[in-house]
Amino acid sequence: VFVSVAVPVPQLDLLTYAVPEGVRPPAIGARVVVPLGTRAVTGIVVDSRETAGPDVSPDLIKPLKQILDDRPFVPSDVVELAQWTAEYYGAGAGATIVAVLPPKTRGNRADAHKTERVVTATPAGLASLASAAAPGAERKRGSTANVALQLLSRAPDGLRAADLKSHGVSAGVVARLSKLGYVSIARARVERDPFAGSAATLRTSPDLKAGPTYREVVGRRLTEEQTCALSRLRELARSGRFHVAVLHGVTGSGKTEVYVRLAADVRQSGRQVLMLVPEIALTPAVATIFREAFGDRVAIQHSGLSDGERHDQWQRIRNGDVDLVIGTRSAVFAPCERVGLIVVDEEHDASYKQEETPRYHARDVAIVRGQKAGALVVLGSATPALESYANALSGKYDRVTMMRRILDRPLPAVTVVDMRGEFAAEGPDVILSRRLREALELRIERREQAIVLLNRRGFATAVFCRQCAGTLDCPNCSVSLVVHGQEASRRARCHYCNFSMRIPAACPTCAGPYLEQTGYGTQRVEDEVRRLLPAARVARLDRDAVRRKGSLSSLLTRFRDGEIDVLVGTQMMAKGHDFPRVTLVGVISADVGLGMADFRASERTFQLLTQVAGRAGRGDEPGEAVIQTLYPEHYSIQLACRQDYPAFYHRELTFRRAMRYPPFVSLVNITVRAKTMSAALRDAEAIADRLRAADESQDSYRVLGPAPAALARLRGEYRSQILVKATKSARRMACAQVVETVSALPGVARRTTVDVDPLSVL
DNA sequence: AGCACGCCGACT
DNA sequence: GTCGGCGTGCTC
């Protein structure tokens, strides 16, 4: 008997092993220890059959070393789901099984977004550095390893592996040093820098008193719309068959109340509930309500848990000790065996897409899981993703709408301020318009609260030289440095590799003395609000503030308790919070993001504006929003102001159809990294040529590029890009073709990432 | 991801 | 020659 085993090695696909004579074959989903090259690893059995199959030559096959479980460790339907994920996203079984297994079995590897490897020099390492500095040891001096030790000797708290990489120290070098005992590697919860609020990473416990309690929620009578929605969803859930429903409910319409009651109903019927949220720390109210409703029959997965705690939660779920799992995207693989309902809350949120291999979208995996389990999948949002809404309109999904707020509270009144007029009247340096200033003053006077959004971190966007017109750029990445920090300690920082430097007195290029800081971010706005409203208590909520203060939850609690009057921040503030005393939302530069060439720029802007405006007027007092922009006529701004989702949907769909973008085509984005741009382009060209040749007659997909990527250099590497556009029916074939083509080019494969259904093509 | 192999420049 | 660094290929 032969078994296919998924081993936790990213690059590897399924491997075939022989079950020794007289040994009972392991169950699908069981853990087995197998030989792999010179080492032994623990893998998961995915398939079992009598013959080895033609794809592997018999003399390669080795026997299993050990069978660890006599029943499935990973439930068989989760094994199946993992295989689907690997296939769909072209990720390889190895990379995918790593995402599915609990952290302990992944070999000390927690959710990679939340922790990072921190490298510290050991005494032995420092000693070797000293001896290397002595005469006669020249050889080592310029080596990468030596550079690494030099850097580490100046960083007693250690450096992140990613930081070392940006100085040209690869993971391999670090591994070697670690083996020599010169450095130690630890996993620490350190903020990873790239990709702004999308994957907001916070380590707060979700049990703060935010939002209404369970008693309040369940004690409240549902509105007519809620009752309607609930009964429709109940009906779908009770059918015991697979359904997807888009729950389109405006901000404040009470979607959570519907989820809780629906979940309770499903639990009653003996099936389990999977509740996916974008980020638990950002939606503490939802987590609290479910915990109160389900008591100890709920498992909460959040980034504040240690590996051990996560592992315990995983075991509890696997043992069937919980009825409801609430967690972020990886919870879609929770080892439940009788799922009856999967809720994807804020389904449009970008954090459902994993931005590293396997690059899956948890909403889409959830739908497949629901299909396999015969479960109801509810996609909830005030601003559904275009793809989801299209499926709802076509009848593929059910559509359930809630267009009114609870207690018939009005949606906020929205005003647009054209900043071109404002500049003409007030000068070019104005940040807060007269309209917004007045509105803020009024809130302070009335002791109400306000939120001010600017989706851009830092103090100034760039350091600009008036003499040579150059900017201060990152030495490792093709971006300009962003100014951060308080006046005395202000530094220029790269948002991608974390490089930072003191701001020089003269231009490093032309030595000109006229360096100017241009553009502004949340830090500058915070200062400005303080200056204009001396009586107001002002705080800032963005990734930097949360990192420094160490805790998002305390900030949110203080705001909720009324200890803060004005909260300035990035899109972090826009996610599902319920702040009843907020009656004003101001948006500075609503067009941040519209300037990007990405095909989703309009959709993102519309979603962000609608969501943030929705933070206002959730209590007894009505809310208002003031949106400042340079493009007041842009449709995503106009329609967000009118909170007219259907109109936006139709408008945007027209654009997507004309430009051949999703949901009309499927995209596959291929990025190739290399030491020089010409090498990156050359390798990408090889891939593109093969792809084009493979398609010659059918015309079922188009290959665009290669071209230098929008971020042409990142962490010292050059990047080129190919975009494949496939018709819906050719998607599968095109993906397979891409995977095959890339893996046929050995050296290149390692430096290539394939992103199926990318959220962004930049 | 690891780990072995093999090439290459710098040294006794 | 020998040593260590670093790029490349392979893992059933």
Side-chain angles (χ1 to χ4, degrees), chain A residues 31 153 208 221 236 246 342 369 425 445 517 549 562 729:
Chain A
R31 288 171 304 169
S153 69
L208 77 174
R221 270 194 66 191
L236 294 173
V246 171
I342 308 178
R369 182 160 194 180
E445 210 172 282
Q517 297 184 9
K549 299 201 171 77
S729 54

Side-chain angles (χ1 to χ4, degrees), chain A residues 164-363:
Chain A
L164 284 170
K165 207 180 166 198
S166 68
H167 285 98
V169 181
S170 66
V173 174
V174 173
R176 245 165 246 158
L177 284 170
S178 150
K179 227 171 167 187
L180 290 167
Y182 288 174
V183 302
S184 64
I185 302 173
R187 281 254 155 209
R189 292 211 188 87
V190 177
E191 203 69 56
R192 161 139 115 199
D193 231 57
F195 314 118
S198 67
T201 53
L202 302 151
R203 41 208 114 98
T204 46
S205 119
D207 36 20
L208 77 174
K209 294 194 296 294
T213 64
Y214 170 63
R215 201 172 300 276
E216 282 164 24
V217 164
V218 172
R220 188 146 62 197
R221 270 194 66 191
L222 294 185
T223 65
E224 204 175 306
E225 277 188 331
Q226 284 176 310
T227 310
C228 244
L230 181 61
S231 70
R232 175 66 186 140
L233 294 173
R234 253 184 196 149
E235 197 183 309
L236 294 173
R238 284 176 182 168
S239 77
R241 287 199 309 275
F242 167 60
H243 288 282
V244 183
V246 171
L247 177 58
H248 181 206
V250 297
T251 55
S253 60
K255 292 186 283 291
T256 307
E257 299 174 16
V258 174
Y259 299 152
V260 174
R261 288 169 205 244
L262 183 63
D265 206 58
V266 169
R267 171 205 218 178
Q268 204 87 63
S269 73
R271 299 180 78 184
Q272 293 163 305
V273 179
L274 224 49
M275 174 87 199
L276 304 187
V277 294
E279 168 57 61
I280 289 191
L282 289 168
T283 47
V286 177
T288 309
I289 287 168
F290 277 96
R291 184 184 280 168
E292 286 176 9
F294 284 75
D296 61 357
R297 300 286 295 176
V298 49
I300 298 189
Q301 261 201 7
H302 67 91
S303 45
L305 297 182
S306 68
D307 281 3
E309 288 169 317
R310 274 171 175 249
H311 193 261
D312 293 347
Q313 295 288 333
W314 199 87
Q315 289 295 355
R316 284 181 63 222
I317 301 167
R318 194 182 81 91
N319 294 339
D321 294 340
V322 305
D323 299 324
L324 181 133
V325 178
I326 175 163
T328 49
R329 64 170 176 270
S330 62
V332 76
F333 295 111
C336 305
E337 285 177 289
R338 32 186 187 89
V339 178
L341 170 68
I342 308 178
V343 175
V344 186
D345 190 25
E346 307 292 352
E347 64 92 25
H348 65 278
D349 197 287
S351 63
Y352 284 119
K353 173 83 172 175
Q354 179 148 66
E355 292 294 352
E356 61 194 54
T357 331
R359 300 177 161 256
Y360 65 90
H361 197 300
R363 180 234 296 137

Side-chain angles (χ1 to χ4, degrees), chain A residues 116-188:
Chain A
E116 276 197 323
R117 287 158 63 212
V118 173
V119 184
T120 335
T122 59
L126 294 172
S128 92
L129 192 62
S131 66
E138 246 77 353
R139 187 169 55 221
K140 276 178 149 185
R141 192 170 289 163
S143 72
T144 330
N146 203 251
V147 169
L149 284 172
Q150 292 276 0
L151 288 167
L152 289 169
S153 69
R154 276 179 263 126
D157 293 334
L159 288 174
R160 309 180 315 157
D163 291 336
L164 284 170
K165 207 180 166 198
S166 68
H167 285 98
V169 181
S170 66
V173 174
V174 173
R176 245 165 246 158
L177 284 170
S178 150
K179 227 171 167 187
L180 290 167
Y182 288 174
V183 302
S184 64
I185 302 173
R187 281 254 155 209

Side-chain angles (χ1 to χ4, degrees), chain A residues 573-647:
Chain A
M573 299 184 308
K575 305 203 178 186
H577 308 288
D578 193 21
F579 301 121
R581 293 179 52 201
V582 169
T583 59
L584 171 68
V585 167
V587 181
I588 315 286
S589 301
D591 27 78
V592 174
L594 279 182
M596 291 200 281
D598 194 74
F599 73 95
R600 252 179 247 273
S602 297
E603 185 181 11
R604 287 215 164 119
T605 300
F606 176 83
Q607 286 166 343
L608 179 59
L609 294 181
T610 309
Q611 294 285 346
V612 76
R615 299 310 109 211
R618 293 165 115 356
D620 298 331
E621 298 302 319
E624 79 161 307
V626 176
I627 295 182
Q628 300 185 175
T629 175
L630 287 171
Y631 308 103
E633 64 287 340
H634 192 284
Y635 65 96
S636 32
I637 292 173
Q638 282 288 321
L639 295 171
C641 290
R642 304 219 301 264
Q643 321 229 354
D644 190 345
Y645 178 86

Side-chain angles (χ1 to χ4, degrees), chain A residues 405-443:
Chain A
R405 287 187 155 184
I406 54 168
L407 306 173
D408 255 328
R409 285 171 185 149
L411 283 168
V414 185
T415 321
V416 181
V417 176
D418 183 346
M419 287 305 282
R420 291 168 300 191
E422 207 64 22
F423 293 148
E426 300 261 289
D429 296 326
V430 61
I431 294 177
L432 300 174
S433 64
R434 290 162 293 178
R435 183 81 180 72
L436 184 51
R437 282 189 327 243
E438 280 159 22
L440 282 166
E441 279 157 12
L442 188 63
R443 289 327 181 283

